[in-house]
Amino acid sequence: MVHILMIQFGRGPNSNNVLVKKFVGVPTAAVVCLDDRPIGMLSGYFEDGALGKWLEAGIVIYDATLWGQGIGTEVFRPWLEHLLTVYPELPHVGFTTWSGNLGMMRLGERSGMQLEGRIRKVRYWQGEYYDSIKYGLLRTEI
């Protein structure tokens, strides 16, 4: 049985702007919907594989015209809190991006995450090297 967590929010005069969560079962996958239209996804995965102690979170909004409108900020922090609720034994959830993606760096900061690391010049894109940027949130910081 395939399961997803659907996080929906609305904008406009007929919207209440409340996150509505519909659990179907899989705690590490979510579809982000804007006014009932799928626009992206949220994920959680273990960087350390089967050991299951190093939890990372991810987000993607598919339509670039929706970037920079606060959608990620609206859903990412609740997603981080959700992951830490699903895995109560874990003290930390992380997020990795790169220095060429300023929007994602801002998302980490706006979500209350701390800059935990920078690995210089390891991400290569369009002929240039960028830094890998690591953010993290401790359970005690929620």
Side-chain angles (χ1 to χ4, degrees), residues 13-93:
N14 298 324
S15 172
N16 61 10
N17 288 322
V18 175
L19 288 175
V20 178
K21 297 180 181 181
K22 296 180 182 178
F23 289 92
V24 186
V26 169
T28 57
V31 175
V32 178
C33 292
L34 176 61
D35 300 325
D36 294 325
R37 179 175 57 103
I39 60 165
M41 70 173 290
L42 296 159
S43 62
Y45 62 94
F46 288 101
E47 186 70 27
D48 58 356
L51 185 60
K53 301 297 181 190
W54 183 350
L55 181 62
E56 289 279 297
I59 182 171
V60 61
I61 302 297
Y62 302 120
D63 184 347
T65 66
L66 297 174
W67 297 353
Q69 296 185 21
I71 295 168
T73 300
E74 193 168 340
V75 299
F76 198 58
R77 176 63 184 238
W79 180 246
L80 297 173
E81 292 174 4
H82 163 76
L83 289 174
L84 288 172
T85 299
V86 169
Y87 298 102
E89 73 281 9
L90 298 180
H92 177 275
V93 61

Side-chain angles (χ1 to χ4, degrees), residues 45 54-59 76 80 92-98 101 103-109 111 113-114 116-117 133-137:
Y45 62 94
W54 183 350
L55 181 62
E56 289 279 297
I59 182 171
F76 198 58
L80 297 173
H92 177 275
V93 61
F95 166 69
T96 305
T97 188
W98 58 293
N101 193 337
M104 292 298 272
M105 292 172 63
R106 279 191 302 271
L107 175 64
E109 294 161 5
S111 298
M113 301 182 96
Q114 300 296 312
E116 295 181 332
I133 309 292
K134 178 77 176 124
Y135 291 91
L137 179 69

Side-chain angles (χ1 to χ4, degrees), residues 119-138:
I119 304 170
R120 297 177 296 157
K121 304 295 181 192
V122 295
R123 297 276 184 109
Y124 188 78
W125 187 67
Q126 293 187 344
E128 289 190 53
Y129 283 96
Y130 295 86
D131 299 349
S132 180
I133 309 292
K134 178 77 176 124
Y135 291 91
L137 179 69
L138 296 176

